[in-house]
Amino acid sequence: SQELEQSPQSLIVQEGKNLTINCTSSKTLYGLYWYKQKYGEGLIFLMMLQKGGEEKSHEKITAKLDEKKQQSSLHITASQPSHAGIYLCGPSPSGSARQLTFGSGTQLTVLP
Amino acid sequence: EAQVTQNPRYLITVTGKKLTVTCSQNMNHEYMSWYRQDPGLGLRQIYYSMNVEVTDKGDVPEGYKVSRKEKRNFPLILESPSPNQTSLYFCASSLNNSPLHFGNGTRLTVT
């Protein structure tokens, strides 16, 4: 299965600040999903990136996939307490490959 | 409402006592999988299933069993639980090449 490394492991920011979370793959990605998890709850799908150089935005969250499709970043602009949680990146399945290994996650705390 | 339902949400048991965590989805998804989440280790895949009667090992299958007799159900079975299986477990499902839909998790404690 594919190895995905996330950084940082944890992040504490003041409300209103911008932040970036990175996800790096050991192999070329077929595609990448970003998920968010609130403490003790299931993961919620945020965005899917499939093409090299692709960038998607939803509200104040922007995700990008680099041209080589080995690195993705998630950027939050003007963070709010509602952005707090664990962010995880996960690979998109490639063809019949469905053994999916997620990144270890980034714990985000936003201080009011 | 489209959802993945896991039961129970919380479970405390003793070493060696067989248990089953149920997972059911109402979206007619072919793909289902189980994960465990541990601090510092992230989300690790236990087993997955591409369709009925088709199951495969994920990254950490030891000590677990699964079955997929019907499309909607994918139970996780611990024949002889041990304390190192104390964890937060998630079931997920999806259509091919689509994002995963996750259940709300089962917090298992084995004493």
Side-chain angles (χ1 to χ4, degrees):
Chain A
S1 61
Q2 211 145 22
E3 293 288 330
L4 288 174
E5 282 195 20
Q6 271 185 251
S7 62
Q9 284 195 330
S10 66
L11 196 52
I12 301 174
V13 300
Q14 204 70 41
E15 183 177 358
K17 295 293 185 185
N18 302 337
L19 63 103
T20 300
I21 299 168
N22 294 302
C23 176
T24 303
S25 172
S26 56
K27 302 176 186 177
T28 299
L29 293 161
Y30 179 77
L32 189 90
Y33 298 144
W34 281 99
Y35 295 86
K36 179 187 174 185
Q37 181 185 23
K38 290 192 175 179
Y39 180 74
E41 298 180 11
L43 283 71
I44 305 296
F45 167 71
L46 290 176
M47 276 176 274
M48 175 173 68
L49 303 164
Q50 288 194 301
K51 299 176 185 175
E54 187 174 10
E55 178 176 321
K56 286 188 178 176
S57 294
H58 177 68
E59 298 180 342
K60 294 185 178 179
I61 301 176
T62 301
K64 300 178 186 179
L65 183 62
D66 74 342
E67 289 290 341
K68 292 184 179 180
K69 296 175 71 173
Q70 284 192 272
Q71 186 161 6
S72 178
S73 61
L74 187 83
H75 184 78
I76 299 177
T77 303
S79 58
Q80 301 168 353
S82 61
H83 288 128
I86 300 173
Y87 290 82
L88 293 99
C89 59
S92 170
S94 170
S96 61
R98 299 296 280 182
Q99 187 175 350
L100 305 177
T101 299
F102 282 74
S104 55
T106 296
Q107 171 93 52
L108 173 63
T109 302
V110 180
L111 301 175
Chain B
E1 181 189 351
Q3 59 185 0
V4 177
T5 304
Q6 289 180 233
N7 280 298
R9 287 295 308 274
Y10 301 92
L11 181 57
I12 301 173
T13 189
V14 296
T15 298
K17 186 176 181 182
K18 181 180 178 179
L19 67 92
T20 299
V21 183
T22 63
C23 175
S24 179
Q25 50 92 6
N26 61 1
M27 296 167 280
N28 203 36
H29 287 167
E30 292 95 358
Y31 178 84
M32 296 186 76
S33 60
W34 276 102
Y35 296 84
R36 61 178 288 174
Q37 187 176 35
D38 302 287
L41 297 176
L43 207 62
R44 294 180 292 168
Q45 191 178 47
I46 303 171
Y47 269 95
Y48 64 100
S49 169
M50 299 285 285
N51 214 324
V52 176
E53 301 293 0
V54 180
T55 62
D56 281 295
K57 295 178 180 179
D59 294 320
V60 288
E62 295 79 19
Y64 305 94
K65 285 174 57 177
V66 292
S67 69
R68 188 89 182 274
K69 295 178 182 175
E70 307 166 278
K71 201 171 189 179
R72 63 184 291 124
N73 295 323
F74 191 44
L76 180 70
I77 303 156
L78 283 73
E79 295 272 1
S80 183
S82 62
N84 64 13
Q85 292 178 299
T86 292
S87 187
L88 179 58
Y89 291 87
F90 289 102
C91 178
S93 73
S94 76
L95 290 171
N96 284 331
N97 299 323
S98 295
L100 292 167
H101 293 252
F102 283 85
N104 283 329
T106 296
R107 190 169 291 279
L108 172 65
T109 302
V110 183
T111 61

